[in-house]
Amino acid sequence: MNAAARVAEQDRAAGGQHRRTVDIGEGRFARASIALRVYQRTRRIRAYLRWSEAGRTKERYVGEVDGSTRAANLKQAWTAARALELLTEEPAPAGSWASSRETRAIMAANKGRDTKPELLLRRALHRRGLRYRVSTRPLPKLRRTADVVFTKVQVAVFVDGCFWHGCPEHHRPATKQNSDFWRQKVAGNRARDRETDLILQEAGWSVIRVWEHEDPEEAAARITKVVRSRA
C-alpha cells in the first residue's frame, strides 16, 4: 500500500481527514493516524494513536480492537480515540466562509462537474444520438453554468443535487451543527436556480432541471423530446 492509499484508508476509518486532528497546544494541531499491532503470543490487536510533534513521533494507546477486517479495526480505534477525548475539531482558517473544518470538508467534497448522475445522464443522451457541450455557460456574459448544453437549439440542462438544491422528495434540513448555515446555503441555491431559469427563458432558452435521484434513461428521454422539438 503506497502513502496515498494509507492516507485514504485512515480518512475513511476516521470519517474524514478533518476528524484526525490532535491539539498539540498553543493553537497548533497535528494530523494523527492509527497504528495496529498484532501480538503474536495472544493474537490480540492493540491500537495506538500516533502523530508528529516537534519532529518527534508521539503515541497513545487507545485499546484493543476485534474487528473482522483491518478497516473495521481502524474504525473501532478511531471511535475509541474520540471517546477518550484524544481528538479535537480543528478550527477553520481565519476568514473562512465555513464555521468549522467539518463544514469546509463537506463543501470541498461537493464536485462542481462530472458527478455520477451527470455522467449517467450524458451517456444516456449520447446513446440517443444527441451531441452537446458540457459544463458551459448558455449565455457567455452570464456567470451561470449548465451541466449539459445544446447550443444550436438553446436547451440548457441542470443536474441538481437533492441536498444542495432542496429536493422536495429527499431533502432533509440540517438539524444539528451549523443548521442555520446549511438552511441559508440551500435557500440561496434555490433562489439562484429560479433566477437562472427566468433569465435563460427570457433569452429564449428552454431550461430542464433533472434531480440527481431521477432515472437517467427517463430524464434523457424527456430531454431528447425537447431538443428534437426545437431542432
Side-chain angles (χ1 to χ4, degrees):
M1 184 181 294
N2 60 31
R6 287 195 295 270
V7 169
E9 179 186 54
Q10 294 285 340
D11 287 346
R12 286 193 298 271
Q17 187 182 77
H18 60 285
R19 305 194 74 192
R20 293 173 48 199
T21 306
V22 174
D23 186 344
I24 60 178
E26 299 180 355
R28 296 175 299 135
F29 301 89
R31 194 75 64 201
S33 61
I34 291 291
L36 300 175
R37 295 177 185 161
V38 181
Y39 288 79
Q40 297 299 325
R41 187 172 61 84
T42 62
R43 303 304 300 170
R44 291 181 175 178
I45 304 173
R46 294 183 177 180
Y48 297 81
L49 186 72
R50 304 182 68 188
W51 68 94
S52 179
E53 185 175 341
R56 300 181 62 182
T57 299
K58 299 284 186 176
E59 187 174 272
R60 284 286 301 275
Y61 173 65
V62 298
E64 291 188 357
V65 291
D66 58 0
S68 58
T69 64
R70 175 178 169 80
N73 284 327
L74 286 173
K75 188 173 182 179
Q76 276 188 34
W78 280 110
T79 300
R82 198 162 288 111
L84 292 170
E85 299 183 348
L86 299 176
L87 302 169
T88 188
E89 173 75 13
E90 183 179 355
S96 172
W97 39 260
S99 58
S100 70
R101 289 276 179 181
E102 183 174 12
T103 299
R104 189 177 181 88
I106 293 171
M107 294 290 286
N110 181 42
K111 294 178 66 175
R113 60 172 289 177
D114 295 337
T115 62
K116 184 177 179 179
E118 288 177 29
L119 293 174
L120 291 174
L121 177 63
R122 278 155 39 188
R123 290 166 188 159
L125 291 169
H126 197 275
R127 285 194 295 272
R128 284 169 169 76
L130 299 184
R131 300 299 179 261
Y132 44 80
R133 298 185 66 186
V134 175
S135 194
T136 300
R137 294 182 185 181
L139 302 176
K141 294 184 179 180
L142 179 67
R143 296 185 61 185
R144 307 291 167 88
T145 301
D147 298 303
V148 177
V149 178
F150 299 89
T151 307
K152 290 185 179 180
V153 295
Q154 293 188 312
V155 175
V157 180
F158 297 84
V159 181
D160 294 335
C162 290
F163 176 81
W164 298 101
H165 295 265
C167 168
E169 291 185 42
H170 301 104
H171 177 73
R172 296 293 181 270
T175 58
K176 297 181 180 180
Q177 188 176 13
N178 304 317
S179 59
D180 288 340
F181 170 84
W182 293 118
R183 277 195 292 269
Q184 292 174 21
K185 179 65 179 175
V186 173
N189 287 344
R190 295 180 70 177
R192 183 181 173 87
D193 292 343
R194 290 192 295 270
E195 181 186 51
T196 299
D197 293 352
L198 181 60
I199 293 173
L200 291 178
Q201 288 165 359
E202 289 179 344
W205 284 73
S206 178
V207 180
I208 301 175
R209 290 195 174 270
V210 178
W211 289 111
E212 66 172 331
H213 70 261
E214 289 188 57
D215 181 277
E217 295 296 336
E218 293 180 1
R222 177 158 55 96
I223 294 167
T224 301
K225 184 176 180 181
V226 175
V227 169
R228 289 179 175 164
S229 70
R230 292 172 66 93

